[in-house]
Amino acid sequence: MAYLISFLFIGVAWYNHHYMFSLTKRVTKQIYWVNNFWILTMSMLPVSTAWAGRFINDVQPELFYFIIFTLWAWAYAALSYTIMRANRDDHPEIAQKIRRMSVYRMHASVWFWLIWAGVVALIFYWPPVSLVFTLIELIMMAILTPADSDRLFS
């Protein structure tokens, strides 16, 4: 189950990533480096998934898995914000589209991080809750993907 969730999560994230980059008119060095950090966090997912999938009822692997997904969420939110900020002066409509993206709104929400804190606490009582949280996040991202996200150009 951990493998399937991670595989689908990466697919949905990559899809949203391409949509965001197809919108942007300007790529800065800062965007380049924040994007590299996001890709680095994505590259750690197979290790954390393998460990969590093998020891699904153990706290340490599930906590590590959840920490990697947290780093991914922070990196993605930072990337979205950086792209939005780089385009807001010359192309405010692009910045607005990125600001309205469900993935950006979700990771910028106080509620998301409050629920996240609750999940961290619950991992010590029922470790698979990290997979459940990730699955719910994946489903929400997939359902709330913008209707025009399949277009290459805005």
Side-chain angles (χ1 to χ4, degrees):
M1 180 168 170
Y3 295 109
L4 180 61
I5 291 171
S6 291
F7 179 77
L8 293 173
F9 200 92
I10 289 171
V12 170
W14 198 256
Y15 187 77
N16 281 306
H17 175 265
H18 281 293
Y19 172 65
M20 191 167 43
F21 269 95
S22 73
L23 290 176
T24 192
K25 302 291 184 198
R26 185 167 184 246
V27 177
T28 63
K29 286 182 188 177
Q30 189 176 15
I31 291 172
Y32 172 79
W33 285 109
V34 175
N35 187 57
N36 283 342
F37 178 67
W38 180 72
I39 291 171
L40 174 68
T41 62
M42 297 259 315
S43 71
M44 292 189 278
L45 287 174
V47 173
S48 64
T49 301
W51 195 24
R54 185 168 175 133
F55 302 101
I56 197 164
N57 291 313
D58 293 345
V59 172
Q60 294 84 0
E62 296 300 323
L63 191 58
F64 180 68
Y65 177 81
F66 200 65
I67 288 169
I68 297 302
F69 269 100
T70 300
L71 289 174
W72 175 89
W74 285 341
Y76 195 85
L79 179 61
S80 302
Y81 178 77
T82 305
I83 292 173
M84 181 180 59
R85 197 177 71 207
N87 287 277
R88 76 176 163 204
D89 293 335
D90 299 331
H91 304 283
E93 70 285 353
I94 292 170
Q96 190 64 8
K97 268 190 171 184
I98 293 171
R99 191 177 293 118
R100 285 193 312 255
M101 286 178 63
S102 59
V103 178
Y104 177 76
R105 286 193 335 256
M106 184 184 330
H107 292 123
S109 166
V110 171
W111 291 107
F112 176 83
W113 294 106
L114 288 173
I115 293 169
W116 174 90
V119 171
V120 168
L122 287 173
I123 287 173
F124 293 96
Y125 298 101
W126 188 58
V129 73
S130 65
L131 295 173
V132 172
F133 178 82
T134 306
L135 181 62
I136 291 169
E137 185 179 359
L138 165 69
I139 291 168
M140 288 178 63
M141 282 175 37
I143 290 171
L144 300 175
T145 298
D148 65 344
S149 64
D150 59 347
R151 293 184 357 195
L152 292 177
F153 302 102
S154 57

